Amino acid sequence: MTPGAATNGRIDVTAERQSDLLRFATAGSVDDGKSTLIGRLLYETKQIFEDQLEHVEETSRKRGDSYVNLALLTDGLRAEREQGITIDVAYRYFATPRRKFIIADTPGHEQYTRNMVTGASTADLAIVLIDARKGVVEQSRRHAFIASLLRVPHVVFAINKMDLVDYDEAVFERIDEEVSGWANKLDFTDVTFIPVSALHGDNVVERSERMPWYEGPSLLYHLEHVHIGSDRNLIDARLPVQWVIRPMSDAHHDYRGYAGQIASGVFRPGDEIVVQPSGRQTRIRRIEVEGGTEIEEALPPLSVTLLLEDQVDVSRGDMICRAHNHPVPTRELDAMVCWMSDTPLQSRGRYALKHTTRNARAIVDDLRYRIDVNTLHRDEAATELGLNQIGRVALRTSTPLLVDEYRRNRTTGSFILIDEATNDTAGGGMIVGAEPSASELGDGVA
Amino acid sequence: MASVNYEISHLRALEAEAIHIMREVAAELENPVLLFSGGKDSLVLLQLALKAFRPGRFPFPIMHVDTGHNFPEVIEFRDRLVGQLGERLIVASVQDSIDAGRVKEETGPRASRNRLQTTPLLDAIEEHGFDAAFGGARRDEERARAKERVFSFRDDFGQWDPKAQRPELWSLYNGRVRKGEHVRVFPISNWTELDVWQYIAEEQLELPPIYFAHRREVFRRDGMLYAVSPFVELMAGEEAFETSVRYRTVGDMSCTGAVESTAGTLESVVNEIAATRITERGETRADDRVTEAAMEDRKREGYF
Ligand SMILES: Nc1nc2c(ncn2[C@@H]2O[C@H](COP(=O)(O)OP(=O)(O)O)[C@@H](O)[C@H]2O)c(=O)[nH]1
């Protein structure tokens, strides 16, 4: 295998090493080559089955394409087939012996900011495609902005169609410089530039001989090796209680298990914990998974059950934290909100709000500004947020929430707003400011 | 704790996500049900439910939509398993819907009861007032599913509208429904067929015997192998013969194809799957082959 080339091939099920999971979102303007790139990744990692390939060959023939159009592999619903475009987030899967990958394939239209926000919300990494001939366009900035807003830890700018610019280093350098210039302001933690040709496969799986000047890894190699283990917050222990297990059977008469998915931090038996918002303190007696098996350490994203030393009153919506590091309950939120509904968000608007496992009602106190996702200009005179618009919003909630800043905690820092008339999910929010959490120095403050 | 390396394998991450989803449904919906086919995906769902709710009972019953054309091995397996679990089983029967005149039996050699399942399913959902139904569908199965949400909203008629799906952000699921509406919930949306098999191997789950190679009387149709049974008529030129087969999915006997195989153990099955070049549905489900958009159409109508 050439250095920098990815481990191509199907999973060896008998392999000793366990693979981990990387979720990534792809964004690009229409025709930048996103579908072709994804099709190529799937094809080269041998995820494409014969019947799917036959289907694509046949469709390509029918359409009169002169080559097998790999982009058709990721083509979804009928309406889209008719229009020839992708209009909703689609999820794709592939795996190499090192990793399993979940792709949130998000369409790049202006109208579909909400799709990229959705895809980016769970992504470890975002690939922003840029057409080498066109260079940075308005949409590239928008995609980069959304990736940074959603705090996707790793961003790759894939400069595509290098074949159409003669694999010219100067073109790549120019785009790299331009993007780096404004991306600096976007507060990324890890940015990578890779020149590719999705159509011909250069630097997608293998490093391309046609771009000897490029010394970095192929795209797939990067996806396989990028270190995501430390992206998780392992400091602030947070378990939003989802479900209380109380069998009330003879065998488990006094059993009370507090079940949920670890949002962040690490819990161990013996840890002193506090249950918020009641503030009651006790210790962890036992941590269980699989309805009985004991484990010594619970860390994100595991779903576990905690058993506590004392009988304290705990119910869904409460949060189990460490005694000296926990959010203070607050009813005032300052958040960036991405709007996803046809009915605009307005000042004084009321919504249902879901944050971790807690439901509340929220009222919009103030729309501070609306942000132009292309220029990052702040419009403070804005009076509403329409579909696909993003703004800074002050909210007040009916009951206290246990929030952290989104930049510190993607799980306890995010919420959704629901239109109570239609039950639709109308917006997604990321908490910018909240009451400072009650961390004490020396106890897990990064 | 600077340099601790806490790696979580992809299967553990997928498992944790699925358990989280099941607990959300149990907590936020009034009256969920778990749809169980006896197939490997629904067995994985049961295992996940055990992990999510034991030592408590499941906060929902299990429901099987019985076409009446099942593999007898699967029914026997179902009854034994549910008995062991001590959970409640509801059987919604296609035969009852036919007898009640709610659906009409297809006729001819290509008749199948697969499509007919939609009516008894929706009837049972209405009769029991279920507002959430867990299913074992995966997004990798078929293209129409790739865009379906984990919480997939269904209107009063059980219909799915791919154009009006609720955005799904982070792990915040919106399961709000009005009376008469429900959500289909797919906890293993993000699993691939291989993930399912690897999980079954890791967890040592028992499967119905038809998943392993066995001798069976079959015939060939449209390039696929079907079991000879009282539920299918052979057409001119089709001949029954006996060979060693196994199944990749479990469905109606009349439309679930077998693959020739001698893989008799889980390990050898998983190895065969890993080397396969044809998708699960393309290989063994006649019902999806009829038209290109077959699956999408059935989903809109309220199929699984
Ligand atoms: N020459 C060249 N053409 C490409 C490349 N990648 C994509 N294309 C072509 O650009 C067009 C748009 O690609 P597609 O993948 O459908 O773009 P999408 O709209 O971003 O999904 C198609 O005609 C592709 O064949 C590339 O690397 N080089």
Side-chain angles (χ1 to χ4, degrees):
Chain A
M1 199 171 57
T2 46
T7 48
N8 178 10
R10 295 190 69 85
I11 291 190
D12 174 6
V13 285
T14 55
E16 281 289 304
R17 190 191 178 283
Q18 288 208 319
S19 64
D20 63 357
L21 182 63
L22 181 106
R23 298 175 198 251
F24 68 94
T26 53
S29 312
V30 182
D31 285 343
D32 281 352
K34 191 165 56 66
S35 312
T36 309
L37 181 70
I38 293 172
R40 177 152 298 276
L41 282 170
L42 300 181
Y43 178 73
E44 301 253 359
T45 54
K46 303 190 170 47
Q47 310 298 310
I48 307 304
F49 295 104
E50 275 162 19
D51 52 336
Q52 292 172 319
L53 200 59
E54 269 168 31
H55 173 81
V56 164
E57 283 166 358
E58 194 184 305
T59 312
S60 295
R61 254 196 315 276
K62 273 194 219 149
R63 288 168 36 132
D65 293 342
S66 53
Y67 53 90
V68 176
N69 189 346
L70 287 179
L72 291 174
L73 284 168
T74 60
D75 179 31
L77 303 173
R78 176 187 293 192
E80 297 166 1
R81 280 199 293 279
E82 282 158 9
Q83 293 166 25
I85 51 158
T86 320
I87 53 171
D88 203 341
V89 190
Y91 293 87
R92 328 262 173 216
Y93 305 86
F94 70 99
T96 70
R98 290 191 71 93
R99 266 193 178 148
K100 162 168 171 137
F101 299 93
I102 300 179
I103 313 176
D105 177 3
T106 70
H109 276 258
E110 177 100 54
Q111 309 89 289
Y112 301 119
T113 291
R114 71 168 194 175
N115 291 330
M116 181 168 174
V117 169
T118 302
S121 72
T122 51
D124 301 303
L125 180 147
I127 298 178
V128 177
L129 265 110
I130 293 178
D131 184 328
R133 295 169 306 171
K134 298 186 199 148
V136 174
V137 295
E138 210 174 59
Q139 295 199 28
S140 325
R141 290 171 182 268
R142 175 158 54 88
H143 296 143
F145 169 66
I146 293 171
S148 80
L149 182 70
L150 273 290
R151 298 205 70 76
V152 179
H154 309 274
V155 176
V156 174
F157 289 94
I159 318 304
N160 189 33
K161 308 200 183 180
M162 287 301 293
D163 55 305
L164 296 181
V165 296
D166 297 327
Y167 299 103
D168 183 359
E169 179 176 14
V171 173
F172 176 71
E173 287 300 330
R174 205 158 53 231
I175 296 172
D176 183 330
E177 266 167 44
E178 188 185 343
V179 175
S180 302
W182 49 260
N184 270 339
K185 286 179 241 146
L186 288 178
D187 197 17
F188 287 125
T189 44
D190 174 33
V191 179
T192 307
F193 292 84
I194 305 179
V196 299
S197 166
L199 190 65
H200 301 296
D202 299 274
N203 286 337
V204 177
V205 172
E206 303 280 343
R207 280 184 47 180
S208 169
E209 284 162 13
R210 288 181 283 225
M211 289 177 270
W213 46 265
Y214 171 72
E215 289 173 351
S218 72
L219 176 63
L220 184 58
Y221 184 91
H222 181 69
L223 294 174
E224 282 189 302
H225 293 266
V226 63
H227 182 63
I228 53 170
S230 46
D231 296 340
R232 283 172 300 174
N233 176 335
L234 294 177
I235 293 166
D236 308 317
R238 306 275 188 268
L239 177 74
V241 176
Q242 249 193 308
W243 179 255
V244 180
I245 300 178
R246 282 212 63 184
M248 295 192 274
S249 60
D250 290 345
H252 299 278
H253 194 71
D254 294 322
Y255 187 103
R256 271 195 184 74
Y258 303 109
Q261 186 169 23
I262 309 282
S264 56
V266 182
F267 289 94
R268 297 186 184 84
D271 282 353
E272 285 190 28
I273 56 99
V274 61
V275 180
Q276 289 290 70
S278 73
R280 288 289 305 271
Q281 299 199 11
T282 178
R283 282 172 193 276
I284 296 176
R285 181 157 62 83
R286 212 176 130 87
I287 305 177
E288 292 184 351
V289 288
E290 311 185 7
T293 314
E294 189 167 0
I295 58 169
E296 285 309 311
E297 209 158 51
L299 58 140
L302 292 182
S303 284
V304 301
T305 304
L306 299 190
L307 288 89
L308 305 179
E309 288 289 357
D310 304 299
Q311 296 251 343
V312 290
D313 190 23
V314 184
S315 46
R316 176 175 166 88
D318 291 350
M319 193 182 284
I320 298 178
C321 311
R322 293 297 298 279
H324 299 291
N325 174 351
H326 57 82
V328 172
T330 178
R331 294 178 50 193
E332 313 276 334
L333 305 178
D334 176 8
M336 294 300 293
V337 169
C338 172
W339 203 245
M340 306 187 156
S341 159
D342 293 323
T343 319
L345 169 140
Q346 277 161 335
S347 244
R348 311 304 301 161
R350 285 159 199 270
Y351 303 94
L353 182 151
K354 184 171 181 186
H355 169 260
T356 63
T357 56
R358 197 165 257 255
N359 289 296
R361 300 191 70 215
I363 182 162
V364 177
D365 267 345
D366 186 22
L367 171 60
R368 298 196 170 157
Y369 57 81
R370 183 170 63 206
I371 198 152
D372 181 322
V373 289
N374 296 315
T375 62
L376 305 193
H377 174 75
R378 294 174 179 188
D379 178 2
E380 291 178 9
T383 54
E384 57 176 45
L385 277 188
L387 177 65
N388 291 307
Q389 294 185 326
I390 295 172
R392 179 93 172 251
V393 175
L395 290 159
R396 202 153 30 92
T397 59
S398 56
T399 49
L401 301 178
L402 300 155
V403 303
D404 291 297
E405 270 183 54
Y406 184 78
R407 56 176 301 130
R408 184 162 177 102
N409 198 319
R410 286 171 94 187
T411 307
T412 56
S414 56
F415 60 86
I416 54 171
L417 294 172
I418 297 165
D419 182 329
E420 292 186 297
T422 61
N423 282 337
D424 281 336
T425 304
M430 288 145 281
I431 290 155
V432 182
E435 301 281 313
S437 92
S439 309
E440 285 175 13
L441 286 176
D443 185 87
V445 175
Chain B
M1 59 183 86
S3 66
V4 203
N5 184 18
Y6 297 115
E7 273 202 26
I8 303 276
S9 78
H10 79 274
L11 280 183
R12 290 304 137 204
L14 292 173
E15 177 189 62
E17 175 182 73
I19 292 171
H20 171 81
I21 291 162
M22 295 186 100
R23 287 172 174 162
E24 278 306 283
V25 172
E28 297 222 315
L29 286 124
E30 298 280 324
N31 192 11
V33 63
L34 186 147
L35 301 178
F36 177 78
S37 68
K40 63 182 190 316
D41 299 317
S42 58
L43 286 163
V44 167
L45 282 191
L46 281 185
Q47 176 74 356
L48 293 165
L50 286 169
K51 295 196 180 203
F53 303 109
R54 285 292 188 254
R57 307 251 338 242
F58 293 177
F60 41 76
I62 297 165
M63 182 159 83
H64 182 219
V65 180
D66 185 346
T67 61
H69 289 176
N70 299 290
F71 293 92
E73 296 93 327
V74 175
I75 298 298
E76 188 203 311
F77 179 84
R78 173 196 81 188
D79 292 340
R80 186 161 49 81
L81 184 70
V82 174
Q84 279 167 8
L85 292 175
E87 299 288 347
R88 186 156 77 97
L89 176 72
I90 297 171
V91 177
S93 144
V94 173
Q95 188 63 51
D96 288 352
S97 295
I98 294 171
D99 295 345
R102 299 272 296 137
V103 293
K104 203 160 163 288
E105 180 105 80
E106 293 177 7
T107 53
R110 288 176 186 274
S112 153
R113 285 187 170 183
N114 215 41
R115 242 177 198 278
L116 307 187
Q117 289 180 73
T118 305
T119 301
L121 172 66
L122 294 178
D123 286 353
I125 286 176
E126 186 165 331
E127 181 194 329
H128 295 273
F130 293 128
D131 55 3
F134 290 110
R138 292 176 279 110
R139 287 180 178 141
D140 83 320
E141 267 178 74
E142 203 278 334
R143 283 179 306 161
R145 291 214 200 266
K147 304 195 173 188
E148 187 161 10
R149 305 293 190 258
V150 172
F151 275 47
S152 184
F153 179 78
R154 302 302 159 101
D155 68 11
D156 240 334
F157 302 95
Q159 299 177 108
W160 178 59
D161 180 359
K163 282 249 159 71
Q165 301 198 79
R166 295 173 179 173
E168 220 153 58
L169 297 113
W170 299 290
S171 47
L172 293 168
Y173 301 99
N174 172 2
R176 286 172 179 250
V177 287
R178 295 198 195 88
K179 205 170 157 41
E181 302 167 340
H182 71 281
V183 274
R184 297 285 169 85
V185 181
F186 304 113
I188 59 169
S189 284
N190 284 326
W191 300 40
T192 60
E193 185 187 11
L194 192 55
D195 294 330
V196 167
W197 282 105
Q198 285 181 320
Y199 189 73
I200 288 168
E202 257 191 49
E203 299 284 315
Q204 302 190 355
L205 300 187
E206 193 193 339
L207 292 179
I210 64 168
Y211 277 110
F212 303 99
H214 56 284
R215 308 244 4 130
R216 185 179 285 273
E217 207 183 5
V218 294
F219 65 96
R220 200 175 291 280
R221 177 180 290 176
D222 307 331
M224 298 204 266
L225 294 178
Y226 294 100
V228 173
S229 74
F231 316 125
V232 225
E233 289 169 37
L234 294 199
M235 295 193 286
E238 290 175 341
E239 262 172 56
F241 60 99
E242 199 190 278
T243 185
S244 177
V245 296
R246 66 176 170 79
Y247 286 86
R248 277 177 82 180
T249 65
V250 163
D252 194 287
M253 260 189 123
S254 62
C255 68
T256 306
V259 290
E260 278 194 276
S261 166
T262 53
T265 64
L266 199 52
E267 202 194 342
S268 52
V269 170
V270 175
N271 280 323
E272 271 189 19
I273 300 281
T276 305
R277 308 296 312 132
I278 299 180
T279 59
E280 194 180 336
R281 283 197 168 263
E283 183 174 57
T284 60
R285 295 293 278 257
D287 44 326
D288 287 332
R289 299 187 119 204
V290 182
T291 70
E292 189 192 317
M295 184 67 173
E296 194 179 327
D297 288 341
R298 278 180 309 147
K299 284 187 66 68
R300 284 171 177 277
E301 290 163 13
Y303 184 74
F304 294 99

